Amino acid sequence: MNTIKHKLLLIDDQPANLIALKSILEKHDREIITCNSGNEGLQILLKEKISLILVDVQMPEMDGYEFVEITKQHPTTANIPTIFVTAISDEAKYINKAYDLGAIDFLFKPLVTEITRKKVESFLKIWDYDQELQKLNEKLVAKNGELEQFANIIAHDLKTPLNNIKSLVEFIEEEHLLDLKEEATELFDMVKSSAMSMSKLIDDLLFYSKNVENNEGKEAISILNEVNAVIKLLNPNNNIRIAKENLNHKINFQSVAFKQIIQNLLSNAIKYNDKAITEITISYNEELKQIAIRDNGPGIPEGQAEKIFQMFYTLGKSSRGDSGTGIGLNLVRKLADRNEVKVYYNSQFKDGSEFVISELQTA
């Protein structure tokens, strides 16, 4: 039993032409449907899933140009590849008109059998690729829907304890305001500020996952302001010194994505540092259009400079005893790709670690 892979629609007002063309294109996995007018062809398109249309240009009532113009206006038929079969001169004005309407190629009469077969075969392959891409896109849309739902759940689960923390702190302050010393009051303010910052970050990430695709959402951002916001969120202690050099510049970047990149790189520089005093420098090079984040830690073992960007790849426990999830640097790489920049580890830097964000676009 033969399985039909493609359906071809041939339209010509001359029955003899249809017989000749059909005989050239017949194959065991094709169903070839013929008709004698554009109107009849439109009716067939309403009922059948067609892979390729071959239409004669010169026909009474509705010519090939008019037929193609109608099909390209309807979403269910707009992407069906269409070839004009014509005896009209191959002058540029006729060809340009056809391409403007959306036809993909011409076959000139009298037809050359081998050329006709090869062209049809090529465009059917294109059709197959397009169908595969549509299926993949449908799967991606479904997956994105699942991820969005998952993000909502995670955001809710994270914000609930944060809201509880804020409420408890406010309750303690109200009930014991007179008993609190100045130092304790400052600590409570830090807890509230951190909880509010984390809540805002969750909201931003949720908005980002829902609304930002590819490289959309770029804006002119201040490197210095974004870095300062991240440092405030991290709230480093006195053993961590972060120097900022030449950051008072603007670049085009998704704000939330940039903060996430900087936060991950700074967090790693702090987490994996093995010195009594952690020293980190963030600098911007105008000429090279790149940001470098350097630290005085142990560096990355030779041969692992690229592996660290793989999902779930970790270097084991940090010098402080905790271990990473292997997600942070993979996220950094994806966010960089989304903003059309590069992030890499500079293996030539020998006094610690250096991560570079390059190919930045100035604003």
Side-chain angles (χ1 to χ4, degrees), residues 132-199:
E132 288 299 318
L133 284 173
Q134 286 186 34
K135 289 177 184 177
L136 287 172
N137 187 56
E138 289 169 3
K139 289 179 182 178
L140 285 173
V141 169
K143 286 293 182 185
N144 284 338
E146 292 174 10
L147 287 172
E148 185 176 322
Q149 185 179 13
F150 177 72
N152 278 302
I153 294 169
I154 292 298
H156 176 268
D157 288 349
L158 287 174
K159 291 190 74 172
T160 298
L162 281 175
N163 290 332
N164 290 339
I165 291 170
K166 287 192 291 183
S167 298
L168 285 169
V169 170
E170 290 168 0
F171 173 76
I172 293 171
E173 283 186 313
E174 290 173 3
E175 292 295 315
H176 304 280
L177 183 61
L178 297 177
D179 301 330
L180 293 175
K181 297 179 180 179
E182 182 179 349
E183 184 180 349
T185 302
E186 291 177 359
L187 291 173
F188 274 112
D189 287 340
M190 287 175 61
V191 172
K192 286 193 296 182
S193 176
S194 295
M196 289 176 64
S197 296
M198 183 60 72
S199 181

Side-chain angles (χ1 to χ4, degrees), residues 308-314 324-330:
I308 56 175
F309 290 99
Q310 295 174 8
M311 180 70 85
F312 304 127
Y313 186 86
T314 68
T325 61
I327 296 175
L329 286 178
N330 183 263

Side-chain angles (χ1 to χ4, degrees), residues 216-282:
E216 297 174 1
K218 283 187 179 182
E219 57 183 310
I221 61 171
S222 163
I223 299 174
L224 183 61
N225 290 346
E226 301 290 317
V227 168
N228 283 339
V230 172
I231 294 174
K232 184 177 180 181
L233 178 64
L234 292 175
N235 190 28
N237 60 40
N238 294 331
N239 294 329
I240 300 168
R241 299 171 184 171
I242 302 177
K244 293 168 282 187
E245 298 178 355
N246 196 35
L247 299 186
N248 196 20
H249 295 272
K250 288 189 175 183
I251 56 172
N252 285 316
F253 220 98
Q254 297 165 335
S255 175
V256 175
F258 186 76
K259 287 192 184 78
Q260 275 295 106
I261 291 172
I262 298 299
Q263 182 179 333
N264 272 285
L265 295 178
L266 285 181
S267 295
N268 284 349
I270 294 169
K271 183 193 301 181
Y272 291 98
N273 199 287
D274 57 350
K275 305 298 189 297
I277 301 295
T278 297
E279 296 181 353
I280 301 170
T281 301
I282 309 173

Side-chain angles (χ1 to χ4, degrees), residues 58 65 86-95 106 108-109:
Q58 291 178 298
Y65 294 130
T86 179
I88 295 179
S89 167
D90 58 356
E91 289 181 26
K93 62 178 181 180
Y94 295 111
I95 295 175
F106 274 87
F108 293 99
K109 299 176 182 176

